[in-house]
Structures are given as C-alpha cells and as structure tokens.
Amino acid sequence: MSHSQHEAIPYTTEVREDTGLYNGKLGMWLFLASEVMLFGGLFSAYVFLRLGARPGEWPHGLLNIPIGTFNTLVLITSSLTVAMSWTALKLGDFQTYRKYQLVTLACAVGFLAIKSFEYYDKFTHYEVWLKAPLAAGEHPGLAGHAAAPDAEVPSVIGHVEGVGPFETLASLEEAGATSITIHPDKYHYRLTAWQQAERTMKEASMEGGSAGAEAHEGLTIELSKIARLSALVPRHSTFFACYFTLTALHALHVAGGIVAFAWLLWPGARMWREEPERYTNRIEVTGLFWHFVDLVWIFLFPTLYLL
Amino acid sequence: MSEATSTPTLPATHGHGHGHADDPEHIRQMQKRFLIVYGVLIVGTILTVSMYYVYFEEMWQTVSVAMLIASVKGLFVAIVFMHLWHDHRNLGTILLYTGVVAVGLFALTIGSFLSVVGPQYLVR
Amino acid sequence: MSSETHELGFLRKYVFSLDHKVIGIQYGITSLSFVFVGLVLMMLMRWQIANPGEAVPIVGGLLEGVMGVPAAEGKISPDLYNMFGAMHGTIMIFLGIVPLVFGAFGNYLVPLQIGAPDMAFPKLNMFSYHLYLWGGLVMLASFLAPGGPAQAGWTSYPPLTTIIPTDGQTYWIIAMVIIITSSLLGSINVITTVIQLRAPGMTWGRLPFFVWTEFVTAFLLLLSFPPLESGAILQFVDRIFGASFFMPHDLIVSGTPMADVSGGGSPLLWQHLFWFLGHPEVYVLVLAPMGIVTEIFANNIRKPIWGYPAMVGSILTIGFLSMVVWAHHMFMTGMGSNISMFFQTTTTVISIPSVIVMTCLLLSLWGGSIRFTVPMLFAITFLPMFGIGGLTGIPMAFNSTDTVLHDSYYIIGHFHYLVAPGTLFAVFGGIYYWFPKATGRHMSVKLGHAHFWGSLVCMNLIFFPMLVQGLAGMGRRMSDGGANYSLANPSNEGVVGALSSTIMGLNVLIAWSVVALALFQLPFIFNFFYSIVAGEKVENDNPWGATTLEWQTPTPPPHGNFAEPVVVYRKAYDYSLHFKALHAQEAPEWGSVAHLPDFEPQNLPVSAETVGAPE
C-alpha cells in the first residue's frame, strides 16, 4: 500500500526539473514560512507591549545572561552537527552521521535541561508590591531598590524564605501564613541598567566593597501590608508573560525536533538501507526545521535577555 | 507563466537538479563552509553579549545594534546551514513574499500604535 | 490498483483514507453538517429577535435540557443569545465555509484538475482532516461545558473574553488552535501539490481558474492564520496563567478593580492579531467560490472565459493586498489619521481586482450559448448577489461612513450577502456541477430548481431588510432585536430616531423567511442522498462536455485518478473553437466544422481532426 502510494506520487525523492525541488523540501519551507508568521506575530506583540509600557515598569536584568549565552552556544553547536550529519549521509557515511546526531540530541536535551533549571529559578523568585511604600533606609538590603538613599520603595524583589513556586497572596493566606521573609535582590529593575552598572563600579572601587545583599538578614513583611505578590511567572508582568510564552513555545519546537531526530536515528533508520536518497532528504528537511529553531533563538536571546 | 512551447516538455523522471552538488569534493567544501559559519556564529554571540555591557546614549541605538548582529547571524544560518544559496529561485520568491508580509504585520501593527500615542515613544 | 482498493477495510477506506477524493468528501459532509448547526443556531436567534422574551416553541424543552440555566423555561436569555451569536459566527466561518471551499472542493478537485495522482502528502492530508474534525468536536463540546460556550462574539475581543469566568472561552481557544493547525497543514499540502504535481504540459497559464483561486487561498491561510494562532496562544496564557497580554492597567470590572493582575497589556493588540487573519479570511471565503463559478460558467456558456490573465492577475493582487487592509475593521478604535488613511486607501484599492474578476465573468456571458442548468443558475446568481454584498461594503472602507454604519445591522446585511447568497450559492452550484463526477449519477433537476428559487427569494428577504434596518439605526448585538430602542417601548415616545414599527416589523418578516429558507433546504438534502443511490446515471464520463482534466477520468475517479498518464496540450477553456475558426475564416463553411464537438479537453493532442491552434 505505502509502496504503491510512494510510486504513484512523483517527486517524493527526486527533484522536479522546472521547480528545482522535491515535495518534502517545499513542504517544509512552506511550514517554516508559517512559522515565520507565528513568531512574527508574537514578536510584534512583544514590541507592541514594550512600547506601551509605562516608563520604568518594564523589568530588565532579571534573566541569567551567562546561562543564556551558554544555551545559545549549545543550540548553535547542535545546528552545526545537524548540518554536518547531513553531509556525512551525502558521502554515504552512516556511522559519522550517527555520531553527529548523537551530539545533536545531547545538545538539544541539554538545552531543555538548562532551560528548565532557569525556569525553576524564576518560579521561586518573588516580587512583593506593598500597600504603603517602604523607605529605602528601612532595611540595608533595600539600598539597591531605590534610585536615591531616601527614595520610596513601592515593591521588593527577591527570594522568599520557605515559599515554593507559584504562590499568590491568596494562596499564602489560605495556607495560614501571616508574614513572609524576603531576601531582597542586589538591585531592583526600577534602576536602569546604567544606574546599576554605576553603583557596581563604585562599590568595586571602594576598599573591600560591601558583601552584597545576600549577607543581610531577611526583610520580614506582614501579609496585611502586601498589595500583591507574584513569582517571576507570566502573572508577574507582561515582560515575563512574553518571556515564558516565547521561550516555552520555542522549547516545544526543540522538543519536537528531538522526537523527530530520535525517530529518524533509531526506528526510522531502516529506510537508509532501502532508500538512502529519501532518508538523506528526510534528514535535510528535519535539519531545515532545526536550523529554523536555532534562528528563532538567535533573535529571542538578545531581545529577551539583553534589551 | 511562460507558454513558450506548445509541445509539453516531459520532466526527467530522475533528474538531478543539483548536478554537481552531489559529488564528494563539493560536499567537503560545504563542510568547510559550515565550520566557518559556526565560527561566525560564535563570534556573533560573543559580540551580542558584550554589546550588553557597552553603554549607548539612546535605547534605539542598543536595539539597532542587537538586531543588526542577530540579523547577520540569522542570514548566515539561512543561507549556509539551510543552503538557501544553492536552492531554486522559487523558494526565494516564496520566502521573500513571506518576509514582506511579516514586515507588513509588524510595521503596520506598531505603526497604528504609534499613530495614536505619538512618536515620543520611539525616543524612550 | 483496483485490486488494492478492494483489500482495504472499512476504516482504511472511509475513515482513515489517504485518497484525496475520500478526504475531500469527508471534509464536505462534515462541513455541511457544521453549516447545518450554524443554521439551527441562526433560526433560534432570529426567532428570539422576532419574539423577545417568549419561550421557544417545540424545541424549548430540549434547549433547557442541554443548556441549563441560560435557557431557563425554554427561553433564550440574553446570555444564551450571546453564546449562540458567538458560536454561529465561529461555526459558520471556521468550521463551515472555510473547510467547505478549501478542504472539500480544494481536496477533491485540485489534484484532478492539475492531472496529479493525489495530493503531495496524503498522510498529512488525512491528519489535517482529523485535526479539523476534532477541533470541531471540541468546539461543539463547549456547548456542554458548565456555563455554556464562548459568548464574546466570533471575534473574541478581550478583556471581555479574559474575565468571563466560565470555561467556554477556553474550549474556544483550544478548538481554534487545533483548527488553525489543520488549515495550515492543508494549505502546505495544496501549495506543494500545485507547484510540484502539475502534469506534464500543465503550465501556469493553462491552470483552470479554480486551481489558481485555491492556490492563492492556500497562501492566504498559510501566512495569515499563524498570527491568529499566536493571538490564541496569548489569550490562552492570559486565561490560564493569569498573564496580562490583553489586560490593560487599572481595569475595573463591575465596579471592582481586577485583583492580582499585573496589567500593562493592550486589548488593541488582540484586534490586530485577529484581524490580520480576519480580513484575508474574507477572501478565503470568496476566492474559491469565484473559482467554482468560473468553472461552471465556462462549461455552460460554451466559450472560453473572457480575460483569464486579468482574472489571475486580479486574484494574485487580492492575495497580496488583503494582507494590508485589516485595520479597516478597527476604524472605531481611533487610530491616528495617517494610518487610517493608509488602510482606507488599501481597502478602496482592493475592491478593484474583485470588480475585474466580476466584470470578466459578466463579459464572458456575451455571445455565449448559455445552458441554464441547475449549477449555472446558482453560478449566474452569484454575480448580482456578490455585487450587492461588495457594493454595500464600499461605505465601510471609509473611516467617516464606517463610524456610523459599523455596529449596525447594515454590516450584518453586507457580509451575509457575500457569504450566504454569494459563497454558499457558489458552493451549491459546485455540488450540483461535480456531483455526477463523484457519484456517477445526476441530481434531480426539479428538486434543484425548487432549492434554487426558494433559497434565492428567502435569502434576499432575510438580508435585504437588514440593510434597511441598519440604515435606520438598529444596533447589531441586541438580543431583543432593538425592541428597547423602538417606539414600542413607551419611554421612547417622541424620541427622534427611535425605531419605527415598520423597521421592527421587518424582524418578523426575517424570522419567517428564515423558516422558509430552512424548509427550502429540504429538497436539497433529500436530492443529495436520494441521487447517490437512485439518481439518473451519467451517460458517459464527461456528461457536461467539459474541457478540464477532472472530467477526463473514469467515473467516479479510482484511486490514483487517471487511467493512463496525462499530458496537457491546451488552455483550460477551449470551448467552441469551431465557431472561432469559422469567424476567423480558417474554416471555409459551417458544414466543414459542424460535426466537430464544441469542446476540446485539455489533454486532447493537437491534430488535423481538431480545429483551432492551441494557444
């Protein structure tokens, strides 16, 4: 059945002369065109919301840049190994192809593992908005939360003692808590990147320097004084909503790529013996998808992490 | 849409559009090119990250530099890793059209927003 | 080939079939069923509008049983009216018409008309049908969700959609994502098929116009659906994870500020993402019907379509322009004047190519020997009906007039003229036209006439009064049909602009016309099923005497479509070339050409026996 199907439909493997393509390749490129529009829509949404944000309210500097950079390199490497594995097949060398693809799979799984580690860190990292602002001098940890020493601090960001992921004010109250103890971050995103850098340089120039926020005791806040509380999850702000939606959708694509490559590497590899040209084409087409996933990340990384 | 011939041309059943593309020498050359692009991408990543630590006067300058580097990286991936360079013009046409539509979506959406709030948003 | 077909079990043959024709028929039957569901919802709504606050006769009890509280005592509450309104739009557009014109006709005809054995990716084809089916079932299941289905209109504008506490809207989003994915896979398949699988000799200039329309439609779906998918994903995150993509700062609902919401989102963002699909979608609804009408025209006027290159150029232009007109749906949101001017201009410009297509069809009639078969009746009616729909749309292209007309019944009348007596008539015509090829039997002409004339009269009695009501100022979303703003309400006595009893009386006329319209569909439904088993058998494989390739196959076409490899030698509509020869004085006298058939199939080689050089 499937054999006759494949015989009946032309250009599944060979190239049609006037279009210069085989069916699968055109199909994949069309799919990628739709993906361009999908991510284009999301990217437009991001810029739309970024431009519409109130001054100073757009969080920045909360993502882990070294980890993000490392993940970028991991993904680029996997793209290279995919390209190389395809050329290995073109040369008829299945063993080399296999080695390259194992590296690809390792990179892809590694990417997701690193990403989930990053995610979990955000899930347990909280911002607390207060009903009445605190004074910056009230607690030594709040120095990095205000532009001036006597300025008001309307919200505190940091890790909360003994509180797991995804809690809200309502859920904490329901659990019977009356107060939380938060360890404020070194800086709040209220300070611009430039202000943060200036302070860091100043601190470094001072002898010994301060040990940073971590050394301070936690700041205890009663729940009755809190207006809103949210981990760095989509609920926190439109920035984190964008971050999670975009990266999770990207991660879904990575997962899809893993499934496809793994299938082609193990159960699907039978085709290599029967129709090597068709199998090579499949790797090429799946590779196109993989490079596109890489390409999306190349734009996501600076947009989300660095701007 | 050319109709130059009235007698139909039968496409070759096993025509190889690539021609020389499959010979081992060409493929080894491709591998070399892949490695070079890999190098370019790594350098690009380092540039992107270091850009974060460079202070620009205006936000739009930072954004432009970041997007410029990303676009160059993206072009390398598309042209070499996805070997668009070797592929048929038809693909290029489809992708160009997609690009125009995507830019239209982006520009008009953002444009309609800016047309309401005024261009001062661009300065920030 | 045929021995293989017999080996397939029932499931493989009819449910999980890889054959594009079976999949096309699956699409057709499923989408027609959805159109029927949409029709039922519409009947209930129109009944409520004509008799506000009264219990629905006959089915009232059933309604209460299914829908629960919103249908208490068998009455249609305003909430239930909103649900029906939202679902009528969603079902008709996304589950009815689009799969009908793209999934059913596209799947069945495109490979046949280009001389291909099947679609390029048969398994993907099967998969996209099943995705569509399941998306539709999720959408239907939302009727049973606690609190009922989506109720914020087919456009699902936030923040209303986000703050509705019931689950119906979440069902809607999930169903939409599934349906969009299905459409995307379908469009990839159609484009690849048209580009790659054209038979030898089937150049772009020889493609039947219907294939061109499906090709452009596929591109529209491919590029405009993903932004709506991204919008749906964002709305999903808003609803499930409490994000604020579409929730503005300081939103107050029923007097209470929204708690635990970050704000900072923009409702306008959704409108952009939605209408970026929404407008190309309009052309998805009309392009393929234009193609169907063209096929029926060429066959029934027995002469080549006039201005084929202009028509192809026009739909390509429509394909591009439709991507940059979407914000004319958003004039009321108060965009800046420059950007409004841009969208106003593109919107006005896009009417030109549509008019070119219609004009070419109209001019094609000139000098034809028209056969008024049932398909031709539907096709020829498409022209004036589409004309009314299109021309009433022009005031909507302008910012100033749109502001007045936008939320009135006028716009309802306008787009229903395009979709109901326009698109649906073309679809009916298409069904009557290709039925003999798919089944080997003709549909009854008498029942066809009853169906046609009844539907034509009723549709006009339904939609024309709406234009009038709209101009009189009747708003489009009122569950009481404007009773509250009419002179029937004592507090409106002496109020200028209150709806008169004549205008309100039109509601009753529309309601009865709706009932009559539904009754006139019975002959069609009966005809359809009766003719499959007992219709008059076709005399040969090409009963209409058509030139395009789908008629040059065995009837019904077997798996793999063509008995022998196809080669194309001619343009799509080589009708009555002997007349042309006579006219051009290439043939000496009538007697020398009278014995020749008046059509030359695309795969007929050029020889001394045929007249007229292939172009």
Side-chain angles (χ1 to χ4, degrees):
Chain A
M1 168 76 198
S2 66
H3 189 66
S4 78
Q5 273 282 336
H6 151 235
E7 289 238 313
I9 297 169
Y11 312 117
T12 44
T13 308
E14 72 277 18
V15 168
R16 181 175 165 134
E17 214 158 77
D18 59 343
T19 62
L21 298 160
Y22 56 88
N23 297 345
K25 193 182 206 168
L26 178 60
M28 178 51 79
W29 270 111
L30 291 169
F31 175 69
L32 294 185
S34 84
E35 292 277 84
V36 166
M37 295 306 295
L38 177 71
F39 281 100
L42 291 170
F43 198 77
S44 305
Y46 174 87
V47 176
F48 194 97
L49 295 173
R50 172 73 187 87
L51 288 172
R54 290 177 184 171
E57 280 198 359
W58 193 258
H60 60 87
L62 289 171
L63 300 177
N64 194 328
I65 294 176
I67 284 188
T69 313
F70 182 68
N71 240 355
T72 310
L73 296 179
V74 167
L75 210 54
I76 290 176
T77 308
S78 73
S79 230
L80 173 76
T81 54
V82 167
M84 296 299 272
S85 75
W86 171 66
T87 52
L89 279 187
K90 278 264 172 197
L91 294 171
D93 185 351
F94 191 82
Q95 285 314 314
T96 313
Y97 151 80
R98 208 184 163 85
K99 277 176 211 148
Y100 276 126
Q101 280 306 59
L102 286 174
V103 179
T104 308
L105 285 176
C107 281
V109 172
F111 179 88
L112 289 185
I114 295 170
K115 201 81 218 144
S116 43
F117 166 77
E118 247 188 301
Y119 271 18
Y120 187 76
D121 184 56
K122 298 289 164 277
F123 293 161
T124 52
H125 196 164
Y126 281 86
E127 178 155 16
V128 175
W129 289 268
L130 301 144
K131 284 177 180 161
L134 293 169
E138 209 165 297
H139 188 270
L142 293 181
H145 275 51
D150 55 345
E152 288 183 335
V153 177
S155 70
V156 185
I157 199 162
H159 283 93
V160 179
E161 257 176 40
V163 170
F166 308 125
E167 298 289 354
T168 62
L169 194 54
S171 71
L172 285 177
E173 276 166 354
E174 212 170 277
T178 54
S179 68
I180 55 159
T181 304
I182 187 168
H183 295 272
D185 284 356
K186 193 168 181 198
Y187 296 117
H188 189 278
Y189 57 83
R190 206 168 289 122
L191 271 62
T192 62
W194 181 237
Q195 283 171 322
Q196 293 184 10
E198 246 181 354
R199 284 201 193 181
T200 308
M201 278 190 277
K202 205 194 261 173
E203 260 171 42
S205 68
M206 287 197 304
E207 209 210 331
S210 84
E214 291 86 325
H216 298 295
E217 264 183 40
L219 168 65
T220 302
I221 307 174
E222 280 169 39
L223 289 189
S224 60
K225 290 184 179 166
I226 296 175
R228 184 164 181 259
L229 172 151
S230 171
L232 302 185
V233 291
R235 190 182 283 281
H236 172 269
S237 56
T238 39
F239 168 74
F240 276 104
C242 289
Y243 167 73
F244 279 105
T245 310
L246 281 163
T247 53
L249 198 64
H250 179 261
L252 269 182
H253 281 78
V254 174
I258 291 175
V259 171
F261 279 138
W263 190 84
L264 287 171
L265 190 54
W266 288 296
R270 240 177 334 151
M271 188 190 270
W272 170 252
R273 268 171 274 132
E274 291 155 14
E275 300 169 276
E277 202 177 337
R278 196 163 177 217
Y279 184 74
T280 312
N281 284 350
R282 288 204 164 170
I283 295 298
E284 182 184 16
V285 164
T286 321
L288 287 178
F289 171 75
W290 191 257
H291 297 311
F292 178 79
V293 173
D294 182 28
L295 210 152
V296 169
W297 184 257
I298 284 176
F299 281 91
L300 282 188
F301 172 62
T303 314
L304 295 172
Y305 284 72
L306 304 177
L307 293 179
Chain B
M1 255 213 253
S2 82
E3 285 191 72
T5 53
S6 56
T7 42
T9 47
L10 284 159
T13 36
H14 287 281
H16 281 273
H18 294 321
H20 69 291
D22 281 351
D23 78 88
E25 197 41 49
H26 179 251
I27 286 167
R28 288 204 189 84
Q29 221 177 352
M30 264 172 132
Q31 288 182 327
K32 253 179 241 161
R33 235 174 279 150
F34 289 157
L35 285 171
I36 293 171
V37 169
Y38 181 59
V40 171
L41 291 177
I42 288 186
V43 172
T45 309
I46 294 168
L47 272 181
T48 312
V49 177
S50 42
M51 173 222 70
Y52 179 69
Y53 297 99
V54 178
Y55 175 67
F56 289 96
E57 197 74 39
E58 301 279 357
M59 188 64 182
W60 66 265
Q61 293 169 329
T62 321
V63 174
S64 314
V65 173
M67 285 301 111
L68 186 73
I69 300 174
S71 305
V72 171
K73 284 166 77 180
L75 272 181
F76 269 105
V77 171
I79 289 174
V80 183
F81 276 1
M82 301 166 99
H83 33 86
L84 264 186
W85 197 256
H86 291 287
D87 267 320
H88 198 270
R89 217 153 32 90
N90 285 351
L91 265 189
T93 314
I94 292 174
L95 292 176
L96 189 70
Y97 179 65
T98 308
V100 170
V101 172
V103 169
L105 166 68
F106 179 81
L108 291 172
T109 303
I110 303 303
S112 69
F113 172 74
L114 292 176
S115 79
V116 181
V117 298
Q120 71 270 21
Y121 272 86
L122 277 184
V123 187
R124 201 154 44 80
Chain C
M1 195 71 77
S2 59
S3 64
E4 258 173 4
T5 327
H6 289 299
E7 285 164 22
L8 297 173
F10 176 81
L11 276 183
R12 290 291 295 277
K13 197 170 173 192
Y14 295 111
V15 183
F16 297 103
S17 173
L18 296 174
D19 185 344
H20 73 101
K21 298 179 292 297
V22 178
I23 295 173
I25 291 168
Q26 285 175 328
Y27 261 113
I29 290 175
T30 316
S31 54
L32 280 173
S33 312
F34 277 115
V35 169
F36 182 74
V37 174
L39 179 81
V40 170
L41 292 177
M42 182 265 275
M43 289 174 73
L44 290 167
M45 281 157 58
R46 286 320 306 192
W47 193 87
Q48 152 74 12
I49 286 172
N51 309 282
E54 286 176 35
V56 184
I58 308 169
V59 293
L62 180 70
L63 208 56
E64 191 178 359
V66 177
M67 301 301 304
V69 183
E73 298 170 43
K75 292 177 186 169
I76 297 181
S77 65
D79 275 345
L80 190 62
Y81 179 86
N82 283 345
M83 292 172 199
F84 284 179
M87 295 311 278
H88 168 74
T90 307
I91 287 176
M92 280 299 199
I93 290 180
F94 294 114
L95 295 168
I97 308 288
V98 175
L100 194 53
V101 299
F102 186 68
F105 281 94
N107 255 314
Y108 196 93
L109 290 173
V110 168
L112 284 171
Q113 289 200 327
I114 63 173
D118 204 313
M119 296 289 263
F121 310 112
K123 281 178 192 153
L124 197 69
N125 205 11
M126 174 188 80
F127 187 56
S128 47
Y129 168 71
H130 282 268
L131 272 182
Y132 156 64
L133 179 65
W134 284 101
L137 291 179
V138 171
M139 197 63 94
L140 284 186
S142 75
F143 276 100
L144 304 173
Q151 44 184 304
W154 78 282
T155 52
S156 282
Y157 278 4
L160 185 58
T161 45
T162 315
I163 58 181
I164 289 175
T166 55
D167 289 339
Q169 186 63 29
T170 312
Y171 280 75
W172 188 90
I173 297 170
I174 293 169
M176 282 305 291
V177 170
I178 299 174
I179 295 163
I180 293 171
T181 311
S182 149
S183 290
L184 286 178
L185 299 180
S187 59
I188 290 170
N189 222 337
V190 166
I191 298 174
T192 311
T193 306
V194 174
I195 293 183
Q196 291 286 95
L197 300 193
R198 280 169 294 121
M202 180 59 93
T203 56
W204 291 98
R206 289 173 181 169
L207 281 183
F209 188 64
F210 176 76
V211 176
W212 270 112
T213 57
E214 288 289 345
F215 186 65
V216 175
T217 302
F219 262 104
L220 289 179
L221 289 174
L222 184 76
L223 298 183
S224 69
F225 249 137
L228 178 64
E229 190 160 26
S230 67
I233 291 169
L234 298 185
Q235 201 174 86
F236 184 80
V237 177
D238 265 13
R239 280 185 66 87
I240 303 297
F241 300 109
S244 292
F245 285 112
F246 306 127
M247 302 285 272
H249 274 302
D250 310 321
L251 184 66
I252 295 171
V253 178
S254 312
T256 339
M258 288 291 289
D260 205 17
V261 159
S262 71
S266 166
L268 276 186
L269 175 59
W270 167 266
Q271 298 193 17
H272 281 295
L273 294 175
F274 184 87
W275 287 115
F276 186 80
L277 159 87
H279 200 81
E281 181 84 358
V282 172
Y283 289 94
V284 170
L285 299 177
V286 300
L287 282 180
M290 282 177 181
I292 296 172
V293 166
T294 308
E295 296 300 314
I296 299 174
F297 257 57
N299 180 252
N300 286 291
I301 58 178
R302 313 307 293 169
K303 69 190 266 283
I305 290 293
W306 191 85
Y308 170 93
M311 289 169 77
V312 171
S314 296
I315 61 166
L316 289 175
T317 314
I318 290 177
F320 176 72
L321 280 180
S322 67
M323 296 284 184
V324 290
V325 297
W326 78 86
H328 65 225
H329 294 270
M330 299 165 61
F331 282 147
M332 308 268 285
T333 61
M335 291 174 295
S337 50
N338 285 339
I339 206 88
S340 291
M341 176 68 102
F342 174 85
F343 282 113
Q344 194 167 301
T345 312
T346 51
T347 307
T348 328
V349 170
I350 202 176
S351 61
I352 297 171
S354 309
V355 170
I356 293 179
V357 172
M358 289 296 111
T359 312
C360 287
L361 287 176
L362 194 63
L363 291 181
S364 296
L365 294 173
W366 179 260
S369 53
I370 305 173
R371 303 191 306 205
F372 284 100
T373 57
V374 177
M376 186 58 178
L377 287 178
F378 278 101
I380 209 164
T381 311
F382 176 85
L383 290 190
M385 293 298 114
F386 187 86
I388 297 177
L391 292 176
T392 50
I394 288 176
M396 240 79 77
F398 297 98
N399 202 342
S400 47
T401 35
D402 176 75
T403 312
V404 181
L405 294 170
H406 196 98
D407 264 340
S408 76
Y409 254 97
Y410 181 85
I411 203 163
I412 304 258
H414 151 66
F415 69 71
H416 278 92
Y417 256 109
L418 291 175
V419 188
T423 300
L424 266 183
F425 267 34
V427 165
F428 284 138
I431 292 173
Y432 284 102
Y433 181 61
W434 280 291
F435 191 89
K437 179 42 72 180
T439 63
R441 288 169 191 274
H442 282 288
M443 285 174 88
S444 153
V445 176
K446 272 185 192 151
L447 289 172
H449 275 276
H451 176 217
F452 168 73
W453 290 107
S455 301
L456 177 64
V457 171
C458 291
M459 290 236 186
N460 280 287
L461 284 179
I462 293 170
F463 299 119
F464 204 84
M466 290 186 183
L467 297 173
V468 178
Q469 287 181 321
L471 289 171
M474 186 187 282
R476 65 187 274 201
R477 295 177 217 274
M478 293 176 294
S479 66
D480 63 354
N484 204 27
Y485 297 91
S486 73
L487 290 170
N489 182 350
S491 61
N492 287 339
E493 219 171 284
V495 175
V496 176
L499 301 168
S500 70
S501 59
T502 316
I503 294 296
M504 294 302 293
L506 291 177
N507 280 339
V508 180
L509 171 70
I510 294 175
W512 284 111
S513 304
V514 165
V515 174
L517 176 66
L519 290 177
F520 277 117
Q521 302 314 302
L522 295 180
F524 169 70
I525 296 170
F526 174 77
N527 197 352
F528 188 85
F529 289 107
Y530 177 79
S531 300
I532 290 177
V533 287
E536 185 197 334
K537 281 198 174 161
V538 292
E539 49 278 25
N540 57 44
D541 286 336
N542 191 357
W544 303 114
T547 54
T548 42
L549 290 180
E550 78 270 29
W551 298 101
Q552 322 308 328
T553 61
T555 307
H559 196 76
N561 292 345
F562 293 91
E564 49 204 70
V566 201
V567 179
V568 176
Y569 299 94
R570 295 165 176 278
K571 284 194 161 188
Y573 309 111
D574 272 359
Y575 288 102
S576 301
L577 289 185
H578 54 324
F579 273 122
K580 204 176 169 186
L582 203 60
H583 187 71
Q585 295 177 340
E586 281 167 16
E589 57 186 356
W590 173 241
S592 67
V593 290
H595 66 285
L596 292 170
D598 68 343
F599 69 100
E600 271 136 37
Q602 285 193 274
N603 59 348
L604 183 71
V606 186
S607 70
E609 268 307 292
T610 58
V611 211
E615 293 167 67

